[in-house]
Amino acid sequence: MNNAHIDLVWENYSSSNTPIDEKNLNKMVRSVNLLNENTTALDASKATKVEVASLVKDIDFDEDTGIFTITRKDSSKYPIKTIDTKLEKLAKNWTFDEKTQKIIIELEDGTLRHVDLSSFIAVFEFINSDTISFYTEYSGNIIKRIHWGGGSIIIMNNISLDMDKISELVCESDLRISKISVNAHKTGLPPYSLSVSIEQGEKRCYIKTAKEYDSISIEVETNDDAPANPLAEFIIKTKGNENITAIVKEGSIEEKHLRPNYLADIKIESGKAETAARSAEENAKTAESFTHGGTGIRPEENTDNAEYYKNEAKKYYDNLQQTGTVTGVKGDEETTYRTGNVNLTPGDIGSPSNEFISEYFVPGYVSTMRSTVEEQGWYRIAESNQYGYSSCVISLKRSYNSPSPEYQKIQLIGVHNLQKFLVLSSLSSTHIWTKIREVWDSNDSKAYIEIYQDRNTLPNSWQITIEEALSVGDLSTRWKAIKATITEEDKNGVNVLASLNLPENFDLDYLAKKDGSNVSGTWNELISGKSIRDSGGNIIKDTYWNKEKELVVSRELSIGTVTIEADGAKMISASPNSVTGYKAIAAFPSRLSNAYIYWNSCYLRESSGIASIDAALKNTSNEKKTVSVYATVLYLRAQ
């Protein structure tokens, strides 16, 4: 808009600087004209009342509610408007409820919001395709196992459950489930029908438990041909962890599933095979050249081969025989030399005879197993298919891995329906094996030896050895060491046959005192002095074994340290230590320093009068492992 005013300072009369003349009057006229033009322009561009009525007059903000209030110029035509920012719904604090597994969020206005953690967990769905099938396995503990027995209906009552800890059960059947009903029971409460869902080809179902109840009854039916499958089973177990396995459907892979150039790859591999075959043929010919000669591939091969050297060695030996250099042969236990075709027996060289070995070293006499344990609880360490006729000696060794190690040796005596444990020896740096027991499990018709660890620890290696493991029955009823498996203290169908609290260290009170005061009754007569001869007049020291010098002794031998590739196997050997007056006759596994390494075999081998301990080991991990190997060597008294 143009400026209408022209500034002019007027002076009083007699001054000729500001005359009232044409020039100054015209300035005033121009200013009046500009004012008129500006007024006309303002009137034409000003806002109307209608336009002004919608303009904002006032804006108010409430800090407590977070609401903006907007007032217009004409409030009669334009009502007051509010904008809610929801600031009072912002989170002020939060806590976590461990029992319900929910996050509790407190808002600014004091409202509480409960958020279930399960809503944050993505559910993975595995859908079968034309080529891939998925199936689920559960690692839970078996609660009940029963055979269909050729019938089409199974009824199970009074199955006790701790439903506070078990929220869902899994039932697996060899026959398809056509109908199933499950009721929960508790004294003082009416029966409650539990939710059941059937899936996995109608051979698996899931049962949701109810915390207020402590037992269930189940009735299940099948439409399958039950009499044709009398050994078919129905199993109830806790859900445990889910393991999803995918398999390729047989016959589902077609050419469209293969790489476009798979035929070219086959031709390449075929060429490699032909090359390998030619190489093998050349290697065979080379081997023949070094063995017998006559192939023409090496110079002087007919006089530079194994057969030639063998014949030359025989000639040399024959010459020695003819010249009389070897005058005779005798074993270490023989007094005279023999000539000709001499046959040296084990007895000739001071070794146990084959008859002695077969009589005193019986297959199945010893069973051993190595395990790694870290949780508190009862562990099954040995099993047998019967009880009452299978006495044995249990040797337990635990490695040092916080807490420090422990050794227990216990004898189990079983005579029909009478069983008991006896402590033979014990030494504990830290005592955590506090109880042992024998049980009979009617669920699988087996007897078990169980040991109790009274606390959680770092992973500790257990060496479990069962001696005198044979039963008076056949070999299948002997005691067999098994990998330590955790079990329950009280379990349906399991009866305790014998138990014993284990001492921290062997107490002399376990032994009979000389005066007989700690045994039932006392000796009639105490004997002092030394006997020279027995009642038959035989000199004792010449007739009987010296009790201070055992017939058989054992020593632990460090075979050495070896590194084994992932999932690989390796053999390691060492010579047995010399024990004066004794001869090494057998070797058994003792211990390994790595829990991933297991024994395949351990035995004593003798060749040309030289003994060697051979141990075959297996690495069960997917990484290279190094292990220190120890064996127990048995020595027989030589005199």
Side-chain angles (χ1 to χ4, degrees):
M1 185 174 289
N2 296 323
N3 187 2
H5 176 66
I6 299 174
D7 192 19
L8 178 64
V9 180
W10 292 95
E11 296 182 3
N12 290 327
Y13 174 73
S14 74
S15 172
S16 60
N17 292 328
T18 55
I20 301 175
D21 56 9
E22 180 182 7
K23 178 179 179 181
N24 288 332
L25 289 175
N26 286 334
K27 288 182 180 180
M28 295 176 64
V29 171
R30 284 197 298 274
S31 297
V32 171
N33 287 336
L34 286 173
L35 288 172
N36 182 61
E37 291 174 0
N38 290 343
T39 301
T40 301
L42 286 172
D43 184 66
S45 61
K46 72 179 181 180
T48 65
K49 289 184 178 181
V50 175
E51 293 172 334
V52 170
S54 64
L55 297 179
V56 175
K57 177 182 179 182
D58 183 51
I59 298 176
D60 181 61
F61 176 68
D62 189 329
E63 293 183 357
D64 294 330
T65 64
I67 297 176
F68 285 93
T69 302
I70 302 173
T71 305
R72 306 290 184 95
K73 289 286 188 180
D74 189 349
S75 59
S76 62
K77 186 176 181 181
Y78 296 96
I80 295 174
K81 183 177 182 180
T82 60
I83 300 175
D84 191 350
T85 62
K86 306 293 184 181
L87 292 177
E88 78 279 7
K89 298 300 182 183
L90 292 178
K92 180 172 70 174
N93 195 9
W94 67 275
T95 57
F96 176 65
D97 189 329
E98 293 187 2
K99 184 174 182 180
T100 63
Q101 294 291 293
K102 291 183 179 181
I103 296 176
I104 303 174
I105 302 174
E106 182 183 0
L107 305 182
E108 282 287 346
D109 62 358
T111 303
L112 299 179
R113 299 290 187 187
H114 298 260
V115 181
D116 195 330
L117 286 180
S118 63
S119 61
F120 294 98
I121 302 175
V123 178
F124 296 96
E125 183 177 7
F126 297 88
I127 302 175
N128 294 338
S129 68
D130 293 338
T131 57
I132 304 296
S133 291
F134 296 93
Y135 65 92
T136 307
E137 292 182 330
Y138 296 93
S139 61
N141 296 322
I142 294 177
I143 296 173
K144 190 75 173 178
R145 181 197 300 268
I146 189 169
H147 288 93
W148 285 91
S152 60
I153 299 177
I154 292 177
I155 299 176
M156 292 166 281
N157 295 318
N158 299 322
I159 302 175
S160 298
L161 291 175
D162 187 352
M163 298 196 201
D164 284 334
K165 298 180 180 179
I166 303 174
S167 61
E168 188 170 6
L169 300 172
V170 179
C171 299
E172 296 177 341
S173 174
D174 292 333
L175 303 180
R176 288 179 297 174
I177 302 169
S178 61
K179 181 180 178 182
I180 183 171
S181 62
V182 185
N183 290 314
H185 305 277
K186 186 175 183 178
T187 303
L189 294 177
Y192 178 73
S193 179
L194 298 180
S195 172
V196 183
S197 60
I198 303 175
E199 61 176 48
Q200 197 76 16
E202 301 179 357
K203 290 188 176 183
R204 178 182 290 161
C205 66
Y206 305 92
I207 303 171
K208 295 288 187 182
T209 63
K211 290 186 177 181
E212 298 82 5
Y213 294 81
D214 55 17
S215 68
I216 61 172
S217 61
I218 297 178
E219 181 173 339
V220 58
E221 296 183 21
T222 180
N223 289 333
D224 283 348
D225 186 6
N229 299 277
L231 297 180
E233 290 186 322
F234 184 85
I235 299 173
I236 307 170
K237 62 183 181 181
T238 58
K239 191 170 184 180
N241 296 325
E242 296 184 42
N243 300 311
I244 307 298
T245 302
I247 61 172
V248 177
K249 295 181 179 178
E250 185 176 355
S252 64
I253 302 301
E254 302 175 358
E255 186 172 353
K256 65 182 180 180
H257 298 114
L258 303 175
R259 289 190 302 163
N261 58 343
Y262 77 95
L263 287 175
D265 291 342
I266 292 175
K267 290 179 180 178
I268 292 173
E269 295 303 320
S270 176
K272 291 180 180 179
E274 291 178 1
T275 301
R278 287 194 297 270
S279 176
E281 183 178 357
E282 293 173 358
N283 290 337
K285 185 174 288 188
T286 302
E288 178 67 17
S289 172
F290 280 101
T291 304
H292 303 293
T295 64
I297 65 173
R298 291 190 303 120
E300 300 181 357
E301 64 176 1
N302 294 331
T303 57
D304 183 17
N305 60 68
E307 185 176 28
Y308 174 81
Y309 292 128
K310 181 200 75 170
N311 293 333
E312 290 299 307
K314 186 177 184 304
K315 292 178 183 178
Y316 179 75
Y317 176 78
D318 291 342
N319 289 335
L320 288 177
Q321 288 289 84
Q322 294 172 5
T323 57
T325 303
V326 178
T327 59
V329 177
K330 80 174 185 68
D332 191 54
E333 291 296 308
E334 294 181 291
T335 57
T336 59
Y337 286 89
R338 290 181 284 161
T339 59
N341 296 326
V342 177
N343 177 36
L344 290 176
T345 67
D348 295 334
I349 63 174
S351 176
S353 66
N354 295 333
E355 292 77 13
F356 183 90
I357 294 296
S358 64
E359 180 179 359
Y360 290 97
F361 298 93
V362 182
Y365 183 81
V366 175
S367 176
T368 187
M369 179 62 67
R370 190 177 183 87
S371 300
T372 301
V373 174
E374 60 183 293
E375 295 181 10
Q376 177 185 3
W378 281 100
Y379 287 84
R380 291 181 169 178
I381 61 172
E383 65 179 20
S384 174
N385 291 329
Q386 70 173 22
Y387 71 90
Y389 305 97
S390 301
S391 300
C392 66
V393 175
I394 306 108
S395 173
L396 303 172
K397 302 176 183 177
R398 180 172 53 78
S399 68
Y400 185 96
N401 194 1
S402 184
S404 48
E406 181 174 6
Y407 174 77
Q408 295 280 350
K409 192 165 188 176
I410 313 102
Q411 185 170 18
L412 169 62
I413 304 174
V415 182
H416 189 45
N417 62 347
L418 301 176
Q419 289 82 29
K420 67 182 294 185
F421 287 99
L422 296 175
V423 175
L424 300 181
S425 61
S426 66
L427 185 63
S428 306
S429 182
T430 300
H431 183 46
I432 64 174
W433 286 330
T434 56
K435 293 180 282 187
I436 191 170
R437 68 184 184 183
E438 181 191 18
V439 302
W440 176 257
D441 192 338
S442 60
N443 297 300
D444 57 3
S445 298
K446 286 187 177 182
Y448 293 95
I449 296 174
E450 298 177 354
I451 192 80
Y452 183 72
Q453 176 169 305
D454 70 351
R455 71 197 72 179
N456 293 331
T457 66
L458 291 176
N460 274 245
S461 293
W462 291 12
Q463 188 68 49
I464 304 158
T465 303
I466 307 298
E467 303 172 274
E468 298 185 32
L470 291 177
S471 165
V472 295
D474 57 34
L475 193 61
S476 66
T477 61
R478 70 188 178 97
W479 279 108
K480 180 182 179 183
I482 61 175
K483 192 169 185 179
T485 305
I486 196 165
T487 185
E488 301 171 45
E489 182 163 11
D490 298 306
K491 186 177 179 181
N492 287 337
V494 177
N495 296 321
V496 177
L497 305 177
S499 63
L500 181 68
N501 292 329
L502 296 176
E504 181 174 0
N505 292 295
F506 188 83
D507 194 331
L508 291 178
D509 287 341
Y510 280 88
L511 300 176
K513 294 181 179 179
K514 186 175 181 180
D515 62 1
S517 60
N518 66 334
V519 297
S520 179
T522 59
W523 299 102
N524 294 327
E525 181 179 355
L526 296 179
I527 301 173
S528 61
K530 295 183 179 180
S531 297
I532 305 300
R533 298 176 182 271
D534 62 13
S535 59
N538 300 306
I539 298 176
I540 292 176
K541 69 181 185 66
D542 297 333
T543 307
Y544 301 95
W545 290 104
N546 185 345
K547 69 176 182 179
E548 297 178 357
K549 193 170 184 182
E550 300 291 341
L551 174 63
V552 177
V553 298
S554 64
R555 297 289 187 271
E556 187 177 69
L557 170 68
S558 173
I559 300 180
T561 301
V562 63
T563 299
I564 306 176
E565 296 295 329
D567 198 32
K570 185 166 285 189
M571 177 78 76
I572 184 172
S573 302
S575 298
N577 295 328
S578 176
V579 179
T580 303
Y582 290 84
K583 180 179 178 61
I585 57 172
F588 305 98
S590 176
R591 57 192 174 96
L592 301 170
S593 65
N594 194 307
Y596 292 95
I597 307 300
Y598 288 85
W599 297 91
N600 277 340
S601 64
C602 180
Y603 55 90
L604 183 143
R605 175 174 55 85
E606 186 167 331
S607 177
S608 301
I610 299 176
S612 174
I613 309 298
D614 294 345
L617 307 172
K618 171 69 176 177
N619 182 1
T620 61
S621 78
N622 57 5
E623 297 179 356
K624 182 191 294 185
K625 296 292 182 182
T626 299
V627 60
S628 296
V629 185
Y630 300 87
T632 297
V633 183
L634 291 184
Y635 296 82
L636 179 67
R637 181 175 173 182
Q639 58 182 8

